[in-house]
Amino acid sequence: MLLKNLIKENPAGLIARAYAFAERAHRGQKRMSGEPYFNHPIAVAEILAGWRMDDATIAAGLLHDTVEDTSASIEELKNAFGEETAFLVDGVTKLGRVKYRGPAVAAGSAEVAASATKAGKAMAGTEGKIESMRKLILALSQDLRVVFVKLADRLHNMETLAALPPAKQRRIALETDEIYAPLAYRLGMHNLSGELQDLAFPFLYPKEYRWILESTKAQYEKRIAYLEKLKPEVEALLEKHGLKPLTTDFRAKRYGSLYKKMLRYGMDIGKIYDLVAMRLIVQTIPECYAVLGVIHEAWPPLPGRIKDYIAMPKPNGYRSLHTTVIGPDEKIVEFQIRTAEMHEENEYGVAAHWLYKQKQGTGNREQGKNLAGQKLAKELAWVQQLKHWQEHVGNEAAIADPEEFMRAMKIDFFKDRIFAITPHGDVIDLPAGSTPVDFAYHVHSEVGDAATGAKVNGALVPLDHVLQSGDMVEILTQKGKKPSEAWLQFVKSGIARDRIRISMRQKRQLANRKPAANRCELKIAVEDRVGLIKDLSATIARNHLNIVAFHSDNPKDSRYPFDKIEIQCAEKEKIEKLILKLKAVKGVKEISYRLI
Ligand code: MN
């Protein structure tokens, strides 16, 4: 109900106007479930308000499907709500056109895939393809706020996925599990990531889901009952040491991650200690360690199960203390201890940082919890993460400085790369400025060599057309066609350049091999005699040359048993020397020669 409050607070504001516009645009439309379509953008905006996004982002949440699904245009949104909101909606619309169908090779590309294996030149591995897809989404977004809207959209779609036909359910669940949940994780939105995976799980593994539901239900209930009993005991213990948690609650393990963990533990639920964890939220970091000490004093910790993610945060910025102890009645209990600030960060990830920066900048809406200043003074783990990605793709601009946070929100760390898509949904990662020829060579060298033309988003383009992120590229090929040297003028990628050069070199070698003369034909007039052939042969042998054959133009004329001698030699000097010697042989009248 945050959305209602925001509208009430500012009835003529951006959010209120976006609400009215979207309601009108979607009027009469229904979702698959039969409910009014407008319920969906409301839910998305509500999620974004819950993440405490800025007004433009919440407005974009309300408007996110208007361009794709109604008669509204980006121009119209620009006029009504300004550049910023229209830009965010445009980004979400573009993302909506990218569809991930999993790493399985589609039927049409089987041939290319097979020859790629044959050539031993592996195409990007499955993990590489998934990673490229995540990068494509970030690159297309251009602003992390677009990703937030897309994630909120995805969260609500997953919550209502049951209404869709099974094939669509599977595709969307797979995309969520392999692309969006990991993306949320990278952005530090730990909770959202787990939620998305959990929502996808029953659609991807229905049998396993039913099995785990049945086999863990009793265990869950027992664990909860146990922790209910333990809770006052823990609180009393902490109070004795002058510690008072802000909240104490239980965190049930998600089915999705539980299943993955059980696979590792031989499907033995008895070995999963953190089925339900007790979560203690305190005010300060010293209090976190103090609580840990009190717990360890009361109950012995299990070796190897103490995790200090405060001193060493996870790469995505997650911070907390974890420990597993042998509690009362010899039962194993996991504790998670963290500050309220860490908790918020773990829930919202980048979105939380976004919030701090925004508060610091404009001071609008809720009172900042004095987090902003200190937060931004530190180098953030997730910024490190983005930096790593950026280095990975060879971009040079640094975003390590938290002061450049806002610039980091604008996703320009992929500005030197573009991500284009094959008709089968595979993402091809290319340097900026790349052309269909670069694309073709990245699909496979044979596709590059045989390229004759290209379609981009369904329209024919010349081979030197400059591709944009998100372009769907189809390469037209002709069997036996060879690359053109002119392509070197416009290709951008090393792979394409190398392949074209290799092909050029092969072409030249083929041209050279051909008729380089290596033999010579002596035309010779003789007066035959006994021993003439023997004398001629001996003379040629003394000159270290080989006879290939004696030929005769007039085989029936006995005066001329032969009139040509073919020998293996193409050096004029040697031949002329030989001719002088042959002229000295008795019976030889005339000799001339030609190279053949
Ligand atoms: Mn939507």
Side-chain angles (χ1 to χ4, degrees):
M1 296 305 99
L2 284 166
L3 190 62
K4 280 259 143 63
N5 292 338
L6 290 172
I7 290 169
K8 218 191 288 166
E9 245 172 55
N10 192 353
L14 184 62
I15 297 175
R17 286 186 289 122
Y19 185 100
F21 185 99
E23 184 182 33
R24 211 179 320 114
H26 288 296
R27 192 166 291 160
Q29 291 180 345
K30 294 246 186 299
R31 297 198 90 202
M32 284 286 214
S33 60
E35 64 180 320
Y37 194 91
F38 189 49
N39 288 1
H40 167 63
I42 290 179
V44 171
E46 194 72 64
I47 292 166
L48 290 165
W51 295 345
R52 283 161 290 164
M53 293 281 117
D54 64 347
D55 289 7
T57 310
I58 295 170
L62 285 163
L63 298 165
H64 82 273
D65 278 330
T66 54
V67 173
E68 191 67 18
D69 296 341
T70 79
S71 58
S73 70
I74 285 292
E75 277 308 309
E76 211 176 321
L77 295 187
K78 223 180 263 178
N79 292 334
F81 306 104
E83 295 273 354
E84 195 180 5
T85 303
F87 170 83
L88 296 176
V89 174
D90 192 36
V92 179
T93 306
K94 278 187 200 146
L95 283 189
R97 292 176 189 148
V98 179
K99 300 233 174 346
Y100 176 72
R101 288 168 207 290
V105 178
S109 66
E111 201 179 307
V112 169
S115 58
T117 319
K118 205 169 59 199
K121 172 137 183 160
M123 302 206 296
T126 298
E127 201 31 62
K129 285 185 193 177
I130 294 176
E131 183 64 17
S132 294
M133 178 60 101
R134 292 175 198 140
K135 284 181 190 163
L136 162 71
I137 285 163
L138 288 174
L140 264 188
S141 301
Q142 294 181 48
D143 186 317
L144 282 180
R145 289 178 295 169
V146 173
V147 183
F148 296 147
V149 178
K150 184 67 197 175
L151 286 170
D153 177 41
R154 182 48 57 104
L155 178 59
H156 186 245
N157 282 336
M158 287 305 294
E159 283 166 352
T160 52
L161 197 60
L164 266 54
K168 230 172 168 183
Q169 285 176 344
R170 230 199 93 76
R171 190 193 72 71
I172 293 173
L174 187 71
E175 190 177 73
T176 302
D177 192 56
E178 294 196 331
I179 308 295
Y180 286 103
L183 206 53
Y185 187 87
R186 294 278 188 83
L187 296 174
M189 302 170 93
H190 203 257
N191 196 35
L192 174 66
S193 173
E195 213 169 334
L196 288 174
Q197 256 169 352
D198 226 30
L199 288 163
F201 182 61
F203 296 98
L204 295 177
Y205 308 97
K207 261 187 259 158
E208 291 84 347
Y209 175 71
R210 275 195 300 277
W211 175 84
I212 209 161
L213 216 57
E214 282 158 25
S215 56
T216 59
K217 193 166 177 278
Q219 283 280 349
Y220 264 124
E221 283 166 2
K222 259 192 267 172
R223 297 295 296 168
I224 299 277
Y226 176 76
L227 291 177
E228 293 281 9
K229 231 176 70 194
L230 185 61
K231 182 179 162 178
E233 214 173 307
V234 171
E235 283 171 342
L237 188 67
L238 291 174
E239 211 181 320
K240 227 170 33 192
H241 290 82
L243 293 161
K244 193 170 172 10
L246 299 169
T247 52
T248 309
D249 61 10
F250 319 130
R251 184 89 190 91
K253 197 152 193 69
R254 300 173 179 286
Y255 287 115
S257 57
L258 179 59
Y259 181 72
K260 279 174 195 159
K261 202 158 188 178
M262 285 183 71
L263 281 176
R264 286 207 303 275
Y265 287 90
M267 294 320 231
D268 185 352
I269 194 89
K271 289 186 184 150
I272 313 282
Y273 303 136
D274 55 354
L275 191 57
V276 187
M278 185 172 283
R279 199 159 57 185
L280 301 166
I281 295 172
V282 295
Q283 231 143 7
T284 66
I285 291 174
E287 275 175 14
C288 291
Y289 290 103
V291 168
L292 185 75
V294 170
I295 288 168
H296 283 174
E297 211 184 342
W299 300 294
L302 286 184
R305 302 269 317 175
I306 306 165
K307 306 231 168 80
D308 187 348
Y309 296 124
I310 294 178
M312 284 174 294
K314 286 192 184 183
N316 71 345
Y318 177 86
R319 291 188 302 158
S320 187
L321 296 175
H322 290 190
T323 187
T324 307
V325 304
I326 303 170
D329 307 326
E330 305 291 295
K331 287 220 162 67
I332 288 166
V333 193
E334 178 176 307
F335 286 94
Q336 299 178 351
I337 308 153
R338 58 182 73 157
T339 65
E341 177 192 344
M342 290 173 201
H343 183 60
E344 186 158 277
E345 240 179 81
N346 295 343
E347 296 284 303
Y348 301 124
V350 172
H353 296 295
W354 160 251
L355 170 75
Y356 304 144
K357 178 70 196 184
Q358 191 202 345
K359 276 177 185 161
Q360 192 188 40
T362 63
N364 82 353
R365 282 223 291 275
E366 293 169 55
Q367 207 63 21
K369 295 180 210 151
N370 74 7
L371 297 169
Q374 48 187 3
K375 192 81 262 133
L376 288 162
K378 279 184 263 166
E379 226 178 67
L380 306 166
W382 76 271
V383 173
Q384 287 296 320
Q385 181 79 22
L386 292 183
K387 199 178 152 212
H388 172 76
W389 275 4
Q390 171 195 334
E391 280 164 1
H392 199 64
V393 297
N395 188 324
E396 277 146 35
I399 53 162
D401 182 358
E403 284 306 302
E404 293 183 35
F405 185 87
M406 287 306 288
R407 257 219 278 144
M409 295 299 288
K410 302 275 186 290
I411 307 173
D412 66 354
F413 41 88
F414 293 128
K415 70 173 186 290
D416 292 346
R417 308 294 299 177
I418 63 137
F419 303 89
I421 316 166
T422 70
H424 304 297
D426 287 334
V427 178
I428 306 292
D429 177 354
L430 298 164
S434 282
T435 63
V437 172
D438 294 285
F439 180 92
Y441 275 110
H442 280 74
V443 170
H444 193 266
S445 57
E446 288 171 19
V447 176
D449 284 347
T452 56
K455 279 184 179 175
V456 169
N457 303 323
L460 275 171
V461 297
L463 284 173
D464 62 354
H465 175 85
V466 174
L467 299 174
Q468 308 289 326
S469 267
D471 279 350
M472 161 126 21
V473 185
E474 192 184 334
I475 300 296
L476 311 174
T477 58
Q478 188 180 52
K479 219 175 173 180
K481 161 132 187 352
K482 292 286 169 230
S484 152
E485 193 153 12
W487 291 356
L488 289 170
Q489 303 298 312
F490 58 74
V491 293
K492 281 287 178 297
S493 62
I495 287 179
R497 204 170 304 121
D498 290 350
R499 287 298 316 176
I500 295 167
R501 285 201 182 122
I502 286 171
S503 189
M504 290 296 124
R505 208 174 308 136
Q506 283 170 347
K507 213 157 120 187
R508 266 196 300 277
Q509 275 167 359
L510 220 62
N512 288 340
R513 197 177 307 137
K514 226 172 83 199
N518 64 350
R519 280 172 304 162
C520 140
E521 191 183 64
L522 305 174
K523 195 171 168 123
I524 186 164
V526 295
E527 206 169 74
D528 198 16
R529 63 172 174 88
V530 172
L532 177 62
I533 287 189
K534 195 177 150 226
D535 289 347
L536 289 173
S537 300
T539 306
I540 292 168
R542 270 198 302 278
N543 280 269
H544 307 289
L545 293 168
N546 292 321
I547 297 168
V548 178
F550 287 90
H551 299 292
S552 174
D553 279 346
N554 308 293
K556 277 177 189 154
D557 189 337
S558 62
R559 285 174 308 159
Y560 295 99
F562 59 90
D563 47 29
K564 280 175 200 146
I565 308 173
E566 194 183 325
I567 58 172
Q568 207 169 16
C569 180
E571 290 172 57
K572 287 186 178 177
E573 261 181 0
K574 270 190 176 177
I575 293 163
E576 275 157 10
K577 231 166 99 186
L578 172 69
I579 287 173
L580 283 177
K581 301 272 184 197
L582 289 175
K583 275 186 173 163
V585 174
K586 193 181 158 208
V588 173
K589 289 166 149 177
E590 256 183 70
I591 307 182
S592 62
Y593 78 96
R594 66 182 183 103
L595 297 177
I596 53 174

